[in-house]
Amino acid sequence: TFTKDGISIWIDGEFYNQPWISKQINIKSTNDHELLHELYLSHDFKSSLTMIDGIFSAVIYDRPRNTLLILCDRYGMKHVYVSSDTNSIGWTSEIKALTAIPYVSKEIDKNALEKFLHYGYFIEDDTWFGSVKLIQGASLIKFCLSTGSIERSTYWSWDKIRPVSGRIDIREAGQEWGRLFTNAVRKRVKPGERAGLTLSGGLDSRAILAAFPDDYGQVQTATFGKKNCIDIDIARKASVVKKA
């Protein structure tokens, strides 16, 4: 928890480009909490959130303004569940924690259950319980604790990504994808840190392992499965190639 100027901030997750943002807005923040505090005090908080590259959920309690803000990353990768009524607000990263709060109703949402049985997963903000909702990606929810009003907005959407115009060379597109993928992995490993990777026989995990910077050092890989199964065999061979 970070508190400054009557503003308390909780963050679950990480900003991968915190030093870059600090440089862009000319502040000397040493951690994600300080950075979010400065962004919150900026003249256009919603627009400034688009600069964050990370996986996170966050809560900001502004005591002087008597407001509570709940937000999450662009894709909603770090789950945050919310339950509220006229007198109380609860939030958590795991839905089972909310069920321990007395005012949270445990009544099953039958409509959500029907969709879950049909699709095999929940849709949008649905959960098992009608009183608990999942915050959607790029959401910014503001609770005014004085009036009980709620403002919901988004700070980013897929519409902001414009289609490429003109003819696309498939080889150039592949090379660009590889460059962006490698840079994404590089941003998530820091010199001096020990990195671990759960490695299956699948292409996704092997691609991440291959994209680790060669100057990073040794990576610790782990896998599981039945003895001598093909997944373990492929994972072992990939680790040998990368010297993991």
Side-chain angles (χ1 to χ4, degrees):
T1 305
F2 173 88
T3 300
K4 184 179 180 180
D5 303 326
I7 299 171
S8 297
I9 296 176
W10 296 263
I11 297 177
D12 179 22
E14 181 181 4
F15 302 166
Y16 298 123
N17 61 341
Q18 179 258 331
W20 177 83
I21 298 177
S22 297
K23 185 176 181 180
Q24 294 298 308
I25 62 178
N26 194 29
I27 65 168
K28 294 182 179 180
S29 63
T30 59
N31 56 62
D32 295 342
H33 290 80
E34 287 183 349
L35 175 61
L36 188 59
H37 179 268
E38 293 298 322
L39 293 178
Y40 175 68
L41 294 178
S42 66
H43 69 284
D44 194 349
F45 177 51
K46 186 185 294 186
S47 295
S48 65
L49 290 174
T50 62
M51 294 191 293
I52 300 177
D53 177 16
I55 297 177
F56 68 93
S57 61
V59 176
I60 302 174
Y61 172 45
D62 189 333
R63 185 183 297 273
R65 297 176 178 83
N66 205 24
T67 58
L68 184 78
L69 285 83
I70 301 179
L71 59 145
C72 64
D73 61 69
R74 290 184 178 185
Y75 313 114
M77 296 294 289
K78 273 292 183 181
H79 289 174
V80 55
Y81 299 93
V82 176
S83 181
S84 63
D85 60 17
T86 55
N87 299 311
S88 306
I89 302 170
W91 69 88
T92 181
S93 59
E94 292 190 16
I95 194 171
K96 60 185 179 183
L98 282 175
T99 62
I101 301 176
Y103 75 82
V104 176
S105 172
K106 315 304 187 296
E107 184 178 351
I108 297 295
D109 186 333
K110 294 182 179 179
N111 290 329
L113 177 59
E114 288 180 3
K115 287 184 283 186
F116 179 84
L117 294 175
H118 179 77
Y119 296 108
Y121 50 86
F122 287 114
I123 304 297
E124 298 180 336
D125 62 350
D126 285 345
T127 71
W128 293 112
F129 308 105
S131 62
V132 179
K133 296 299 179 182
L134 172 66
I135 300 300
Q136 297 292 284
S139 289
L140 179 62
I141 302 178
K142 179 179 179 181
F143 296 88
C144 180
L145 304 181
S146 300
T147 64
S149 63
I150 303 175
E151 296 179 15
R152 302 176 186 272
S153 60
T154 55
Y155 62 85
W156 182 86
S157 73
W158 288 99
D159 293 337
K160 292 183 179 295
I161 300 178
R162 300 301 179 188
V164 176
S165 60
R167 183 179 177 85
I168 300 175
D169 183 277
I170 190 64
R171 292 190 177 184
E172 290 182 1
Q175 291 175 350
E176 177 66 2
W177 179 90
R179 183 187 69 81
L180 293 173
F181 186 83
T182 302
N183 286 346
V185 174
R186 180 178 288 273
K187 283 194 295 183
R188 286 150 177 77
V189 293
K190 299 176 182 178
E193 286 187 340
R194 295 183 62 191
L197 177 65
T198 52
L199 192 61
S200 69
L203 181 60
D204 294 346
S205 60
R206 282 185 285 154
I208 294 173
L209 178 63
F212 264 83
D214 291 331
D215 59 355
Y216 174 77
Q218 193 173 56
V219 181
Q220 179 68 56
T221 58
T223 191
F224 61 91
K226 292 184 178 180
K227 186 177 181 180
N228 298 322
C229 72
I230 190 170
D231 272 3
I232 291 180
D233 184 47
I234 294 175
R236 183 184 297 111
K237 290 178 180 178
S239 296
V240 170
V241 170
K242 192 65 176 181
K243 297 180 180 179

